[in-house]
Amino acid sequence: MKLFKLILLALPLAVFAKEVSVEQLFNVVTVKVKKDSSAQKSKNYGYVKADQSRIYEISPRFGGFVVKLFANKIYQKVKKGEALLSVYSPEILKAKDEYLNTIRYTKKRPNKTMLKSAKLKLKLLGVSDDEIKNIGKNKYSANTTIYSPVDGYIFMKSVNQGSAFNAKQKLFEIVNLDAVWVEVKLFEEERAKLASTKKYDLNFKGLDKTYVSTNKLLYPNLDTKVATLTLRLHVDNTNNQLFPGMYASVISLTEKKSKLTLPTTAVIRKDGKFYAFIVGEYEGEYEPLEVSVKVLDANTYEVLSGLDEGDEVVNNALFMMDSDAQINGLY
């Protein structure tokens, strides 16, 4: 392959007080191909959503009337085992009477199967274990209390004091926020990075804490309106500072991977190909070399082929290198 050399114009010796090199005259700076093992970052945005596995519906298996409403406010926070409401249900009262009569009957004529069946009926209707024990002590009430199955917030309430309700009617929706989902929008080309991305840093307006997620799921469908995919991140939220609808800034960090790099100023593109100018054997000699590169960020290329670690190339004045190479017909 031909080499080319920068040609200096003949100038009087008196112009130079001391000897100067080609690099000094033309401000040619070189840089070496180096190995980098830093993680690659990218930024996306998303929104907090309730974890669907932590949404609980209170739908009694019986109909009745609200006698006392304890959870009487929307978005009220409740604890697991906390009383939500006390109800009167003819069906439950009948089942309680049957169980008590069965207890009395089996004391005289032991029948474990009959007693077990009467007790199971109450359990299947949703009567608590404490209430069932009180029936055996003949201390039960005509009313039945419904308790919260989980810590959380009441996101939906469909009854008030004195309301009537039917079997299977949803009375409350309770959402536990100890963990939430963040749904992140990705462009199709970003999908390739998912396999090597092991960690996501999430930041929210008004919160100083940076949340970290490693649990992810890519939804298997594409939003055709905006041509984006949705990535779901599972985020621990034991302090309950994250609420559904909050806006999230998501920084993804790929696994550290060793790669050869060059600054973008050391590579030029011509006719769809990329070139670097490698230092020749003699001072002032540079050779254009076709290379394969990939953008890492605004200032850095990853070198895929054409150069090895330690190779020295021109880092600036590429406009001059390009012009001279074209004049000499090198590419």
Side-chain angles (χ1 to χ4, degrees), residues 20-68:
V20 294
S21 66
V22 172
E23 283 77 8
Q24 289 173 320
L25 281 173
F26 289 90
N27 193 27
V28 176
V29 178
T30 60
V31 65
K32 290 185 178 181
V33 179
K34 65 178 182 178
K35 188 172 290 186
D36 181 23
S37 59
S38 61
Q40 188 176 354
K41 291 184 179 182
S42 59
K43 189 173 184 179
N44 298 89
Y45 300 95
Y47 294 91
V48 177
K49 294 192 70 174
D51 182 340
Q52 291 184 2
S53 66
R54 293 173 179 267
I55 299 175
Y56 299 82
E57 293 184 2
I58 309 301
S59 302
R61 299 171 184 176
F62 52 85
F65 303 85
V66 177
V67 176
K68 179 67 176 177

Side-chain angles (χ1 to χ4, degrees), residues 212-229:
V212 177
S213 176
T214 57
N215 187 319
K216 62 186 177 183
L217 173 69
L218 182 67
Y219 291 167
N221 64 324
L222 178 75
D223 185 339
T224 55
K225 292 182 179 179
V226 289
T228 57
L229 295 163

Side-chain angles (χ1 to χ4, degrees), residues 192-210:
K193 298 179 183 178
L194 293 180
S196 60
T197 303
K198 304 301 180 183
K199 177 187 172 190
Y200 298 85
D201 290 340
L202 299 96
N203 292 284
F204 302 86
K205 291 182 179 180
L207 297 178
D208 294 331
K209 178 180 177 180
T210 295

